[in-house]
Amino acid sequence: MMTAVLRVVDLEKSFLKGDKRVVALQGLNLDVEEGTFLTVLGRSGCGKSTMLNMMAGLLSPTSGRIEFRGRPVTGPNRDLAYLTQHDTLMPWRDLQHNIEMPLEVRGVGRAERAAVASELIERVGLGGFEKHYPRELSGGMRRRAGLARMLSAQPDTYLLDEPFGALDAQLRAELQADLLRLWYGSGKTVVFITHDLEEALLLGDRLIVLGPVGRVLLDQRIDLPRPRDLDQIRLEPNFVKLHKVTADALRAGSVQREEGAA
Amino acid sequence: MNAMTDRTADLTTPGDRRAAGPLEVPADRSWMERHGRTLWISLARLGLLVLALALWQLASGRLVDPLFISRPSEIGTQLRSWLSDGTLTSNTWLTVQEILLGFALGASSGLVAGFFLAIVKVLGDVLDPYMIAFYSIPKVALAPLFIIWFGIDIKMKVLLSAATVFFLVYLNTAAGVRSVDRGLIDAVRLMGGSRRQMIVKVLVPGAMPGVITGLRVGVPYALIGAVVGELVASNRGLGYLMLDSASQFNTAGVFAALVVITIIAGILNLGVNLLQRRSSRWQARPGE
């Protein structure tokens, strides 16, 4: 019996816009089990980033709650690491010092910081770029740096918000493989948000499709073998079948939205 | 399965890295190719200066009354005589002191106020219109008040200069702090950083471009504040020297003081450029 690391209960979030209340999420319930790679798929505006921001403790729910290991999330938590959609590397720090930053914040000594960062830089394939500033790195390298920084915090749960959305297809495939390689066998929990159907299927153990205001349209186990070869797996009959089921769910969601709007 | 292990291995080999960035090869260029343009520009600048001085010298007395424009040779003579009787050194030193003290005082208080009011946002929002209003007052207009408050000695010039610098540094620092990317602030919060860490590790370095702009813009104004203060009321300093020469219709003296002020301004700007170059490696430079 697996235990839920993250538990979302009757979650609702709305924002005030002038004298209107815009509901981003409503009535969302979700349990994320320990060690699962959960992918969350949804079109833009379905509230998936809002959900992640609340899991990370950057936003607080309007009603309902999120629990992390049985405790309500009230603010950022060091056991949860969050890789946002946009780069948040510090432009004035070189690669090495960017990756050391989470350790620096929690007061880890200089020598240990340097050792951890060097090892991670090698693991994400950025060896030799330690002294480069973010603006001197390409988009893909900055993403790798972001991954390394997230790993250096040594959290047990990762939240990723469309981390590879802005990259070209080739680079995205490389980084997806990197992420799986870094994660596989670590036993860590991952919540990975994407609007790319294939990405959601390739990476996850479990896939959730979110519709308007965060309604769960599909909650599907992805029983594809691991470790996965991302080129081969697309050809498996099971992958093709899951692809169809998911695409249908997404389509049904958008039809509902149009009906709702009419 | 084989393909997978191959790919994994690939990621840690140096070959993969090179593919990720642009290729850098040494460019074989001679000294002239590399520095030719800079050299040419410098020579042209020098040539222009010599030409202008020569024309000035020739025009004076022939085309224009020397009472109005004096002439370079006379200005040189005036400078030498001031230098030999100590007038130049003592008055220049006084003005330099006023500039440096005024700048230090104005810049440090501007920095503190800029950070404080940008961080304590409510206070900043309340004070903002007043700050803008004070900033808009020409600081020369404060001189009479400053004379009443502080007399006509060095204190008045230092404070006039500081008042000018303060607003420039304050406004640019506050703008710098406000321009710091929200995502970076959240990033530190997500790392579990305290408020103090957020300020020290994100707001301060993130605001640096604004701070440096403020300091850079402030430097010439420190000079203006000091000289204007001397022109309004004083019995020493380069501004006084200028005013005193003018009252005796000694045009060469006025120009001589101006030359010294220009040299001081040039040296100050040089210092500011050095400061900027040192701190801006992480920022994109024009043309990149």
Side-chain angles (χ1 to χ4, degrees), chain B residues 107 120 126 148-149 180 240 243:
Chain B
V120 188
V126 171
I148 297 174
W149 288 348
V180 173
Y240 165 75
L243 209 59

Side-chain angles (χ1 to χ4, degrees), chain B residues 162-238:
Chain B
T164 320
V165 174
F166 169 83
F167 287 101
L168 292 166
V169 175
Y170 160 74
L171 288 172
N172 282 291
T173 301
V177 176
R178 291 192 190 113
S179 75
V180 173
D181 183 356
R182 182 75 221 175
L184 301 183
I185 296 170
D186 280 343
V188 183
R189 286 178 61 208
L190 287 166
M191 289 171 199
S194 62
R195 192 174 157 80
R196 202 187 65 82
Q197 282 173 321
M198 190 266 284
I199 291 169
V200 173
K201 293 186 195 297
V202 181
L203 286 187
V204 171
M208 265 312 149
V211 170
I212 299 225
T213 305
L215 295 179
R216 208 185 60 223
V217 181
V219 166
Y221 280 89
L223 175 80
I224 293 172
V227 172
V228 164
E230 287 173 353
L231 286 175
V232 173
S234 69
N235 44 26
R236 282 188 304 154
L238 288 171

Side-chain angles (χ1 to χ4, degrees), chain B residues 36-121:
Chain B
R37 203 186 118 82
T38 325
L39 184 72
W40 190 86
I41 297 274
S42 308
L43 286 176
R45 283 173 181 165
L46 197 65
L48 188 66
L49 180 68
V50 172
L51 184 73
L53 288 176
L55 284 176
W56 185 355
Q57 183 77 26
L58 286 174
S60 176
R62 291 187 179 83
L63 297 173
V64 191
D65 187 343
L67 180 64
F68 294 131
I69 61 165
S70 182
R71 58 169 64 95
S73 58
E74 267 178 48
I75 297 167
T77 315
Q78 178 70 73
L79 280 173
R80 262 195 303 280
S81 91
W82 276 350
L83 202 58
S84 61
D85 69 6
T87 314
L88 190 66
T89 325
S90 65
N91 286 295
T92 304
W93 173 231
L94 184 75
T95 304
V96 167
Q97 273 181 298
E98 288 162 6
I99 296 169
L100 293 181
L101 286 173
F103 183 77
L105 193 66
S108 54
S109 53
L111 269 176
V112 171
F115 274 110
F116 185 71
L117 294 187
I119 290 167
V120 188
K121 210 178 157 308

